Amino acid sequence: MNTNILLSGVGGQGILTIGAVFGMAAMLNNYHIKQAETHGMSQRGGEVVSHVRISDKPIYSDLIPHATADIILSVEPLESLRYLHFLKPNGWLITNDTPFRNIVAYPTQDVVFEAIKTVKNNRIVAADTLAKSLGNLKTSNIIMLGVASNYIELPYETLQQGIIEIFKKKGDKVVALNLKALDLGRESIL
Amino acid sequence: MKRLLLGAETIAQGAIDSGISGVYSYPGTPSTEITLYIQEFKVQENINVFCNWCTNEKTAMETALGMSYAGKRSLVSMKHVGLNVAADAFINSAITGINGGLVVAVADDPSMHSSQNEQDSRFYGHFAHIPIFEPSNQQEAYDMTRSAFRFSEKYKLPVLLRITTRLAHSRAIISTQAAEIQNNISFPLVREQFILLPSIARKQFRNLLLVQNSLKQEAVSSIYNQLHKAENSQLGVIACGIAINYLLEVCNGLPQNFDVLKLCQYPIPQSLVNELFERNDKILVLEDGYPFVEEKILGIVAHDKRVLGRLNGYVPPDGELQPNIVAKALAIESFSEHVETNSTHFPNRPPELCKGCGHIDMYTALRRIIDEYGDNHVFADIGCYTLGALSPYSAINTCVEMGASIPMAKGAADAGVFPAIAIIGDSTFTHSGMTGLLDAVNENAPITVIIADNAASAMTGGQNSAAHGKLKNICIGLGVEPDHIIETEPFPTKIDQLVALIKEEIEFKGTSVIILKRECVQTVLRKNKTEANQKHNIIF
């Protein structure tokens, strides 16, 4: 088992939570993990990226080498395009469809989606719409994680365990909501 | 015990388990999480460790030295440019030596993810003649922190623990060992040890020089430095700190055809490097930072073509080291293939001021001042308000280092620039701005200082500001005319008044200070959340 996941999005969109779930999932199941994050200036409406590497063998580099990411998982469409050089041939580009427009030069949706579709394996997910159906827009990042679960080797139960552990201090309701979001994402593309 | 921690946090845990009695620091990316972790740990586990933020890195270093004088262990942490501020205390702490173990953890930022330069702190360690530990991964960062405290007490010297952004901000699972108990108070055996009168300092500097050979021997036998010999080596590689990870990554483990010297403890272990030179025609140096080792082993007189690295283009001369750079330097082709990428250039998404931030209103007003008086008049500083450089404000002309705004405004005013406006945050002001203001006051320099007071070190995550509630009194104490210390709140509805106010102070032919008070929206949000949670807990 050896998975490289590149997470991307805009500061404040919940990438770090996705990373934390991966981290917890790995730790609970005795996998090796490295998870490199961007902090600091990028937190404020800027681009954010996190490299997540999970394996049953020791992991050397904190950074994913170019052309070896199994997945780019993005919670924002434009951000999904910034790191294509990390994606391996036949890797999956999975992104939320809702743009976060805080820059003047933000391209039109057509331009962004067309560029996404030039990647052979791509999934554009209406995660915000799905999240609204759960009554909580904040769950869209976990919905994206659920979608991604279809494309990574990590057993699904480990992600569920990760969610239980990460959200348990916020109470049973929050745990249940996020487990539901994970399922919804996972099943949304079946 | 197993823990999933950021590299920065592994240093914190290592220091806690080494029985520190204090951590002294000023926030700065990517080092902030070291102290944050200890503060949180103190709340959770009720440990007896001083861990409040200091006013700046110099006071942090000095406070730690005081604790060391008293025989207890302390950690100092800061970002690389903070070491410039602490340099006087840092360099001289090598001459005094230490009593209780003292480790200075400094996080460098190659590629300048959140910094104004990418200076390499190993040069400072070398300059001070002290041992440098540079862990290669999270586990080693924990282990080396613990080793560093023992080493510090063994040689009675501070130890520099150097990491870079990548390790500081990357998580992995580590195993921790049983904690040591804190030292009791004990005073230096030699009464003069901490008195750097020239006659004493000369003697102690000679002792410092004499111990260098032992430090080199320690580096040769250190478990953190290892020479792996290949059977038919074609190239010797020196991999410093995290560079070893990239080497192992691109070679899929230890390479069969290269000798590898993993180098994590300095001074440079000369005999190991010599052995590498004897066994190989060429030596490639991989380091995440400046060509520190490369320069040291190169020699000036005979420009040695045998050494390959950042100085001759085998590795790019600047920026963070990455796996693909290492692969290229080793001519490993399997790592050069890329997925076809769309050639369209997509716009970058720079950081921005948060919605509802008081700085926005400050810059909206200032923009109108600039439109009236012209460009080139605004000297800013380090903090969130540096984002005033970007569109749509484009309101500042300088940002150099902590505290530069006020003296630069004065210097420009001295040169005849009118108006000269300084913008500085509350925490930056107490960090390094007060002395500059005193200079201005002493000459009644015609500058207008705007202190953007958001009651926090906001850029690094909203840490407490040493300036909180004290700004007006500090300005009075420094001698600013009380009539020209104006406190007001910047709000979108009060832009006209703010513009009028700034104009009035600009026209005053002396030093004036406008304190714009509005709490950081992020810290307000966090407080509201905490309060709501507490209420929730009371009800249920």
Side-chain angles (χ1 to χ4, degrees), chain A residues 10 23-24 27 31 33-37 39-41 44-47 53 60-63 65-67 76 78-79 81-82 84-85 87-89 100 102-103 105-107 111 115 118, chain B residues 2-4 6 29 33 114 137-138 166 169-173 245-246 248-249 253 320 322-324 335 337-339 341-342 346-352 354 384 387 458-459 461 522:
Chain A
V10 180
M24 189 54 77
M27 184 149 112
Y31 291 122
I33 179 157
K34 286 212 170 181
Q35 188 218 333
E37 300 173 351
H39 280 248
M41 293 188 88
R44 287 153 220 284
E47 53 209 46
R53 314 191 71 193
Y60 300 119
S61 170
D62 296 274
L63 292 172
H66 293 176
E76 206 279 346
L78 177 61
E79 295 309 314
L81 294 166
R82 241 181 255 292
L84 291 181
H85 52 289
L87 196 61
K88 72 178 185 189
F100 188 96
N102 63 341
I103 45 174
Y106 199 103
V111 169
T118 62
Chain B
K2 290 218 183 286
R3 292 176 188 269
L4 175 64
L6 289 174
T29 311
E33 289 81 3
S114 317
N137 60 38
Q138 290 81 352
R166 199 47 61 196
H169 282 173
S170 176
R171 271 192 189 81
I173 298 162
N245 304 335
Y246 301 145
L248 295 174
E249 179 78 31
E320 184 182 2
Q322 292 171 9
N324 295 82
F335 276 85
E337 50 180 283
H338 285 205
V339 163
T341 54
N342 193 302
F346 292 104
N348 288 332
R349 196 190 299 262
E352 59 181 11
C354 307
C384 286
L387 299 175
M459 187 58 116
Q522 297 294 345

Side-chain angles (χ1 to χ4, degrees), chain A residues 9-190:
Chain A
V10 180
Q13 281 196 307
I15 285 202
L16 297 188
T17 308
I18 299 178
V21 172
F22 276 126
M24 189 54 77
M27 184 149 112
L28 292 175
N29 292 280
N30 290 317
Y31 291 122
H32 296 271
I33 179 157
K34 286 212 170 181
Q35 188 218 333
E37 300 173 351
T38 339
H39 280 248
M41 293 188 88
S42 325
Q43 286 176 324
R44 287 153 220 284
E47 53 209 46
V48 177
V49 62
S50 173
H51 294 226
V52 180
R53 314 191 71 193
I54 303 173
S55 177
D56 48 17
K57 289 186 267 310
I59 302 161
Y60 300 119
S61 170
D62 296 274
L63 292 172
I64 299 171
H66 293 176
T68 64
D70 299 284
I71 289 192
I72 292 175
L73 175 58
S74 184
V75 293
E76 206 279 346
L78 177 61
E79 295 309 314
S80 76
L81 294 166
R82 241 181 255 292
Y83 310 99
L84 291 181
H85 52 289
F86 283 100
L87 196 61
K88 72 178 185 189
N90 297 320
W92 279 88
L93 178 79
I94 301 167
T95 181
N96 188 359
D97 69 346
T98 312
F100 188 96
R101 292 178 187 275
N102 63 341
I103 45 174
V104 181
Y106 199 103
T108 62
Q109 177 167 310
D110 287 350
V111 169
V112 174
F113 281 15
E114 253 171 52
I116 291 169
K117 284 171 184 162
T118 62
V119 178
K120 194 177 94 195
N121 296 321
N122 69 80
R123 287 273 179 204
I124 301 174
V125 183
D128 284 21
T129 312
L130 292 171
K132 278 177 204 154
S133 77
L134 288 178
N136 191 329
L137 193 57
K138 274 187 176 173
T139 57
S140 93
N141 57 345
I142 300 299
I143 288 170
M144 290 305 299
L145 176 60
V147 177
S149 71
N150 291 295
Y151 302 95
I152 50 183
E153 285 182 61
L154 201 63
Y156 187 61
E157 304 75 50
T158 63
L159 291 175
Q160 291 173 316
Q161 289 164 357
I163 282 178
I164 292 167
E165 202 59 29
I166 291 291
F167 290 103
K168 75 175 180 195
K169 58 176 181 273
K170 296 190 173 175
D172 292 346
K173 273 187 187 170
V174 178
V175 171
L177 177 68
N178 280 288
L179 285 174
K180 220 168 146 189
L182 191 74
D183 285 342
L184 189 62
R186 185 173 175 84
E187 287 154 17
S188 71
I189 56 145
L190 296 179

Side-chain angles (χ1 to χ4, degrees), chain B residues 93-164:
Chain B
S93 70
I95 313 288
T96 61
I98 59 94
N99 185 23
L102 201 168
V103 174
V104 185
V106 181
D108 292 354
D109 190 18
S111 277
M112 303 177 231
H113 297 282
S114 317
S115 306
Q116 68 270 47
N117 75 30
E118 53 180 39
Q119 66 184 56
D120 188 323
S121 299
R122 292 176 299 171
F123 284 91
Y124 265 115
H126 175 76
F127 187 30
H129 297 86
I130 64 170
I132 306 165
F133 285 25
E134 187 188 13
S136 66
N137 60 38
Q138 290 81 352
Q139 181 67 52
E140 207 166 66
Y142 174 83
D143 296 340
M144 288 189 92
T145 303
R146 302 208 54 179
S147 300
F149 276 102
R150 290 190 289 268
F151 202 82
S152 171
E153 288 179 355
K154 180 176 178 185
Y155 283 96
K156 294 285 171 198
L157 284 175
V159 172
L160 174 66
L161 187 68
R162 186 245 184 188
I163 56 169
T164 56

Side-chain angles (χ1 to χ4, degrees), chain B residues 236-436:
Chain B
V237 183
I238 301 177
C240 307
I242 64 167
I244 188 74
N245 304 335
Y246 301 145
L247 181 74
L248 295 174
E249 179 78 31
V250 302
C251 295
N252 200 15
L254 270 175
Q256 304 294 311
N257 47 347
F258 311 132
D259 283 351
V260 176
L261 173 59
K262 171 180 176 282
L263 176 45
C264 293
Q265 183 178 330
Y266 308 77
I268 295 170
Q270 208 169 332
S271 61
L272 296 182
V273 174
N274 282 342
E275 201 177 342
L276 207 60
F277 268 94
E278 280 158 19
R279 292 174 48 85
N280 295 279
D281 289 339
K282 302 223 174 211
I283 307 291
L284 173 69
V285 187
L286 300 172
E287 34 198 342
D288 194 25
Y290 284 4
F292 172 75
V293 170
E294 191 182 341
E295 279 184 2
K296 293 273 170 297
I297 65 171
L298 192 60
I300 300 273
V301 181
H303 192 78
D304 198 336
K305 294 227 167 50
R306 293 173 63 191
V307 179
L308 318 175
R310 288 194 188 264
L311 294 173
N312 46 19
Y314 284 84
V315 179
D318 64 342
E320 184 182 2
L321 202 65
Q322 292 171 9
N324 295 82
I325 291 172
V326 172
K328 201 173 163 207
L330 292 168
I332 297 174
E333 283 181 4
S334 57
F335 276 85
S336 56
E337 50 180 283
H338 285 205
V339 163
E340 283 295 311
T341 54
N342 193 302
S343 58
T344 318
H345 175 73
F346 292 104
N348 288 332
R349 196 190 299 262
E352 59 181 11
L353 294 169
C354 307
K355 283 202 178 67
C357 173
H359 297 334
I360 293 175
D361 306 316
M362 171 176 76
Y363 281 127
T364 306
L366 206 60
R367 193 58 242 176
R368 278 171 50 184
I369 298 283
I370 295 163
D371 290 342
E372 186 173 336
Y373 288 87
D375 197 7
N376 303 315
H377 296 287
V378 182
F379 304 85
D381 226 299
I382 309 273
C384 286
Y385 49 94
T386 315
L387 299 175
L390 306 178
S391 164
Y393 318 105
S394 303
I396 67 169
N397 302 99
T398 71
C399 161
V400 184
E401 37 76 33
M402 296 287 281
S405 55
I406 299 173
M408 282 186 75
K410 178 184 181 288
D414 289 353
V417 172
F418 172 82
I421 303 164
I423 309 275
I424 187 167
D426 51 326
S427 185
T428 308
F429 177 70
T430 43
H431 178 288
S432 290
M434 298 186 291
T435 45

